[in-house]
Amino acid sequence: MSARVWGRVRRRVADEGPAAARIAVTVVAAWQTPLWLGADQPPVFAAIVPLVALRSDPAAAFSTSLERVGGVVAGVLLGIVVLQWLHPSTAALALVVSLGLALGMVLRAGTSLDVQIAASSLLVLANPSPDAYALDRMWETAAGAAVTVLLAPLLWPPSPRRALTASVRECRLRLTRALAGSVQVLGTGPAAAGDNLDLVLRETGAVRRAGDEARGAERALRFNPLRRRDREAIRDVARRLLLARDLCAAVETLAQEAAAFAGREDLAADVARARRDLPGLAAATVRAVEVALAGGDARAEVAAARSVFAAYAVAVPLPVAVALRRPFHRLLDELDAPSPPAA
């Protein structure tokens, strides 16, 4: 094995090893708990819960476990009711799956369709003794979910602070790259401007996802008593990620304006004149963004960027320049606004 491949394997083990060990220990505990409670059959369904539910986010494990338990109960009841009227057949299968998916649209703890109801109903149809199967399935799954919810925050819990700090650093790089790239493609052809717009949308999409994850990390603290000391630090980093998310709209607008002016021969001279002084405004704004997302006091940088903005407005009073500096005005307003509220 080459050094490069071995290094990749070691990095993957370091990144994913704790999560795998966490799942393995929880599976064993979930299996053993029903045996201690008197299960007379191998409690496979209890062991399945942590395999399905455990994520890097303890809040996700909690919600997924609730979703699974609720889905199992609803699915088992649905399967029993259908079997009272129909024998196991294609018609029964179609009815169970349709009703299970319909219920999964409503009875869910997360944001996605819950297929557990339909899956549990199918398992009931496949069992020769649905009544006994249903009881065992429900209480074993509940025991497995309880073990998962209790152990998820305690076994090698992920550090939201470390993950969010790395995320905000990456978001800062994405936004500053997007700003600089949009300024650089001004006056180029439609192909380059279009490619830049696609790149900017990918970058801002990643920043928006990071902002959503920040709220999830704050919620995870409620289920992770070992991370309470990091609560204030996590809130601070989460606010910066939410600020980065709020900056995305203005960054996208600049890229869209650059794409709109690309290839416009009638505006070529105005775009060239506007572009000449725009890098200075972009550089001043980037400095303000970097300081704000790094957690510093960016008021001095914002004031300096506003001075450059005012000078640019006087020096280049063209409609093209007005359109190009409007995104910077919005960026500076966002940086001056109060911090986004915590989750």
Side-chain angles (χ1 to χ4, degrees), residues 66-234:
L66 288 180
E67 181 178 300
R68 180 171 173 78
V69 172
V72 167
V73 174
V76 167
L77 293 177
L78 175 60
I80 292 174
V81 169
V82 171
L83 284 179
Q84 298 301 313
W85 297 93
L86 298 173
H87 294 291
S89 62
T90 303
L93 171 69
L95 181 60
V96 161
V97 171
S98 299
L99 292 177
L101 293 176
L103 289 174
M105 298 178 189
V106 180
L107 303 178
R108 63 188 187 189
T111 58
S112 59
L113 174 66
D114 182 10
V115 299
Q116 182 63 54
I117 299 175
S120 297
S121 299
L122 289 177
L123 291 174
V124 172
L125 291 179
N127 194 277
S129 179
D131 295 334
Y133 167 84
L135 180 61
D136 290 341
R137 175 114 170 102
M138 283 191 287
W139 83 263
E140 286 178 10
T141 303
V147 171
T148 300
V149 171
L150 289 174
L151 293 184
L154 304 177
L155 292 175
W156 303 286
S159 172
R161 181 179 182 179
R162 187 184 305 116
L164 291 182
T165 300
S167 182
V168 75
R169 185 164 52 246
E170 182 65 24
C171 287
R172 186 172 71 243
L173 292 174
R174 290 181 183 278
L175 290 177
T176 55
R177 282 199 304 259
L179 278 173
S182 296
V183 172
Q184 290 172 359
V185 299
L186 276 171
T188 61
D195 290 343
N196 175 73
L197 178 58
D198 292 340
L199 176 61
V200 168
L201 292 177
R202 288 197 297 272
E203 299 280 35
T204 54
V207 173
R208 284 193 170 94
R209 288 191 295 274
D212 295 337
E213 291 169 1
R215 290 195 178 278
E218 285 191 284
R219 288 193 297 269
L221 290 180
R222 304 173 190 173
F223 306 97
N224 194 335
L226 300 182
R227 296 293 177 184
R228 290 186 180 277
R229 65 183 182 275
D230 292 336
R231 177 169 295 179
E232 290 303 320
I234 290 172

